[in-house]
């Protein structure tokens, strides 16, 4: 569960509220939406040096809006001082996918070329294809990716799979669902292989994700270069994607000082990841328009993040000498679907200036019991402006690290603190909400 705790007043009252971002002044407006499902509390910025890292300065940055905003969940508005940028969305421990109402996971980098009104997994593939073939124009890259993903003629830079369906006919609604499925299969693949690489030693921020995305796009590019009518399949092409990933990680390990990834171990790990991803992709493919309920669709998509967590945990254990185990069998997937993400969080504060200890209170989570059995939860601090002055136990006891300096707070006019807390249930689902 991703949550932002805020407003710990000098009188000891603790409430929760959302963090925000800022934009520059002058220039021109750049607005759009970030979607896998609509993503709330993801950072969006203008990347002028194409390094996919926010460098400050003229690279203005904001957080995507909540569903209550006039422009809807995942919307953003930036002020650009000049052209020549790439749009980048970076997820954090606080990012929520409103299509599943669960935490999305940190460290995902989605991109889109300048002029795009959408930042999605599909636009990220467009951007990567242009990086691999610098002779491509934006329009040509869009056309190639759209066709390779099975959506020929679709402008992926403007297409929203979660647009209002009030005036859509059945064909348009079915297409929207198929794009949702495609994006989730893509992210299941990229995030899983990225997690495996990261836990195997590719620890530079964002590099494991870059390698995984590049491997997928290389396979796509090779297919369309041979046959312009080819369509990428996350079922039949998964083995080739795995081979590309193993090759790219091996080359990165060889070429990068201080990085050692054992080829044999990573190969076995990749085989296990491939099987896990394949099982999830197969489940996503069972979704049928007009037959599968909206709740079941949401539950199936929520398994993608569970998969990534299982890969990360399994790869970490394996890299540290444990047995190799990444179980995403049918039974595990069914259980993950049945497990609902936590729905609420609160903390009762009894902190006062003359309090003898530093404990603020215990974070409590509302969660639907799975098969009548109460869930267990673990907590950690994942962000916030003031995160360095807090600690939290896995059991959710939130404390100051030192006695708050109320006199300085009053002098500075500071009325609250910001700390982001994530809660995860025993089924590896997280949640974030602002109270």
């Amino acid at each position: 569960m991703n949550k932002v705790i805020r407003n710990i007043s000098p009188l000891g009252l603790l409430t929760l509220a959302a963090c925000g971002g800022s934009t520059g002044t002058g220039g021109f407006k750049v607005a759009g939406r970030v979607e896998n499902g609509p993503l709330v509390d993801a950072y969006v910025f203008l990347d002028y040096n194409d390094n996919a890292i926010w460098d400050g300065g003229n690279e203005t940055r904001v957080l995507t809006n909540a569903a209550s905003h006039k422009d809807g969940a995942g919307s953003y508005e930036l002020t650009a001082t000049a052209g020549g940028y790439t749009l980048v969305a970076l997820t954090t421990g606080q990012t929520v996918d409103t299509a599943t109402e669960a935490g999305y996971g940190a460290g995902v980098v989605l991109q889109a070329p300048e002029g795009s009104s959408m930042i999605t997994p599909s636009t990220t593939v467009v951007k990567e294809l242009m990086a691999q073939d610098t002779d491509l124009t934006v329009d040509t890259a869009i056309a190639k990716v759209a066709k390779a993903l099975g959506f020929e003629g679709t402008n992926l830079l403007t297409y929203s799979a979660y647009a209002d369906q009030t005036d859509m006919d059945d064909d348009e609604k079915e297409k929207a669902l198929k794009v949702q499925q495609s994006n989730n299969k893509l992210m299941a693949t990229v995030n899983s292989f990225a997690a495996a690489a990261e836990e195997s030693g590719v620890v530079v921020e964002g590099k494991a994700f870059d390698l995984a995305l590049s491997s997928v796009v290389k396979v796509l590019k090779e297919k369309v270069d041979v046959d312009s009518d080819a369509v990428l399949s996350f079922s039949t092409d998964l083995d080739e994607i795995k081979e590309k990933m193993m090759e790219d990680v091996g080359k990165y390990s060889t070429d990068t000082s201080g990085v050692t990834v054992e080829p044999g171990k990573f190969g076995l790990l990749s085989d296990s990841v491939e099987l896990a991803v394949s099982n999830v992709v197969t489940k996503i493919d069972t979704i049928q328009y007009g037959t599968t309920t909206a709740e079941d669709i949401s539950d199936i998509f929520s398994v993608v993040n569970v998969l990534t967590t299982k890969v990360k945990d399994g790869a970490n254990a394996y890299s540290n000498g444990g047995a190799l185990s990444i179980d995403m069998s049918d039974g595990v997937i069914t259980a993950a679907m049945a497990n609902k993400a936590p729905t609420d969080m609160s903390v009762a504060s009894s902190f006062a200036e003359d309090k003898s200890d530093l404990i603020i209170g215990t974070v409590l989570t509302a969660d639907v019991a799975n098969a009548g059995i109460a869930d267990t939860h673990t907590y950690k601090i994942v962000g916030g402006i003031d995160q360095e002055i807090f600690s939290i136990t896995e059991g959710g006891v939130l404390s100051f690290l030192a006695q708050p300096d109320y006199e300085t707070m009053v002098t500075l006019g500071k009325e609250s603190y910001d700390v982001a807390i994530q809660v995860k249930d025993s089924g590896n689902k997280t949640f974030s909400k602002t109270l």
Side-chain angles (χ1 to χ4, degrees):
M1 182 180 280
N2 302 318
K3 183 162 228 176
V4 178
I5 296 186
R6 189 183 182 121
N7 295 338
I8 304 176
S9 74
L11 299 178
L13 176 66
L14 187 147
T15 61
L16 302 175
C19 292
S22 62
T23 64
T25 58
F28 56 92
K29 183 174 73 172
V30 177
R33 293 166 65 91
V34 180
E35 286 185 355
N36 187 340
L39 299 182
V40 172
D41 280 345
Y43 278 111
V44 181
F45 60 92
L46 306 176
D47 184 12
Y48 281 99
N49 59 3
D50 215 26
N51 65 353
I53 297 172
W54 182 62
D55 298 310
N58 65 339
E59 295 190 351
T60 56
R61 182 177 75 165
V62 296
L63 282 169
T64 53
N65 297 310
S68 58
H69 191 272
K70 64 180 178 64
D71 295 324
S75 61
Y76 66 88
E77 183 176 314
L78 293 160
T79 301
T81 56
Y85 57 81
T86 296
L87 287 160
V88 178
L90 173 64
T91 66
T92 72
Q94 300 163 244
T95 304
V96 176
D97 184 342
T98 59
T100 62
E101 293 299 333
Y104 186 69
V108 176
V109 181
L110 302 177
Q111 301 186 57
E114 181 178 357
S116 177
S117 62
M118 299 299 301
I119 307 175
T120 70
S122 299
T123 67
T124 306
V125 173
V126 172
K127 180 67 173 62
E128 176 61 23
L129 182 61
M130 293 175 66
Q132 292 187 17
D133 186 348
T134 55
D135 291 332
L136 288 179
T137 64
V138 174
D139 288 343
T140 302
I142 293 169
K144 282 179 175 288
V145 173
K147 194 169 186 177
L149 294 179
F151 309 109
E152 185 176 4
T154 301
N155 185 347
L156 298 175
L157 302 195
T158 60
Y159 185 80
S160 170
Y162 289 88
D164 185 356
Q165 297 191 353
T166 303
D167 296 323
M168 289 186 186
D169 60 27
D170 283 343
D171 287 343
E172 291 170 322
K173 292 177 182 178
E174 184 173 12
K175 176 183 175 180
L177 179 58
K178 287 185 179 298
V179 173
Q180 293 170 21
Q181 290 173 271
S182 175
N183 282 337
N184 276 281
K185 288 186 286 186
L186 171 61
M187 297 315 296
T189 304
V190 172
N191 286 344
S192 295
F193 281 109
E198 185 173 325
E199 295 303 322
S200 297
V202 183
V203 295
V204 174
E205 182 181 0
K207 187 60 184 180
F209 184 89
D210 290 345
L211 290 170
L213 175 66
S214 175
S215 299
V216 171
V217 176
K218 282 179 179 178
V219 173
L220 180 150
K221 182 177 182 299
E222 288 178 2
K223 287 177 71 73
V224 299
D225 284 348
V226 172
D227 178 4
S228 61
D229 292 326
V231 175
L232 181 68
S233 167
F234 289 99
S235 299
T236 58
D237 293 324
L238 191 56
D239 188 63
E240 190 173 351
I241 291 170
K242 177 196 70 177
E243 294 297 326
K244 290 291 185 190
M245 184 65 179
M246 291 169 58
E247 179 183 328
D248 289 353
V249 168
K251 185 177 187 304
Y252 176 76
S253 177
T254 300
D255 294 347
T256 307
S257 175
V259 175
T260 302
V261 178
E262 297 180 37
K265 288 191 70 173
F266 188 70
L268 291 173
L269 175 59
S270 296
D271 288 342
S272 187
V273 171
E274 179 185 8
L275 177 60
V277 172
S278 178
N279 290 341
V280 172
V281 166
T282 298
K283 192 64 180 182
I284 293 172
D285 281 336
T286 65
I287 297 173
Q288 297 294 321
Y289 174 72
T291 302
T292 310
T293 67
E295 182 177 5
D296 284 346
I297 292 170
S298 176
D299 289 341
I300 291 171
F301 288 163
S302 74
V303 174
V304 173
N305 194 48
V306 174
L307 165 66
T308 305
T309 302
K310 278 190 167 288
V311 170
K312 188 176 183 67
D313 292 346
N316 179 271
Y318 183 55
S319 297
N320 287 288
L324 176 56
S325 177
I326 303 172
D327 185 4
M328 288 302 292
S329 58
D330 287 344
V332 172
I333 291 174
T334 299
M337 289 174 57
N339 173 46
K340 305 298 183 183
T343 58
D344 204 355
M345 224 168 34
S346 62
V347 59
S349 170
S350 59
F351 203 90
E353 188 171 358
D354 59 353
K355 199 168 187 287
S356 60
D357 59 48
L358 300 175
I359 296 174
I360 297 165
T362 299
V363 179
L364 302 175
T365 296
D367 201 351
V368 177
N370 184 21
I373 302 173
D375 211 340
T376 57
H377 304 93
T378 56
Y379 301 82
K380 65 179 180 180
I381 292 173
V382 294
I385 297 171
D386 302 302
Q387 61 178 302
E388 294 182 358
I389 69 173
F390 294 96
S391 68
I392 194 167
T393 66
E394 284 195 352
V397 179
L398 181 66
S399 303
F400 285 112
L401 291 176
Q403 189 73 23
D405 185 350
Y406 293 120
E407 291 183 2
T408 300
M409 286 182 67
V410 172
T411 301
L412 296 176
K414 184 178 178 67
E415 298 180 353
S416 64
Y417 291 110
D418 288 340
V419 57
I421 296 175
Q422 182 187 83
V423 59
K424 181 171 72 173
D425 69 16
S426 58
N428 292 310
K429 288 187 178 177
T430 61
F431 182 76
S432 178
K433 184 182 177 181
T434 300
L435 298 181

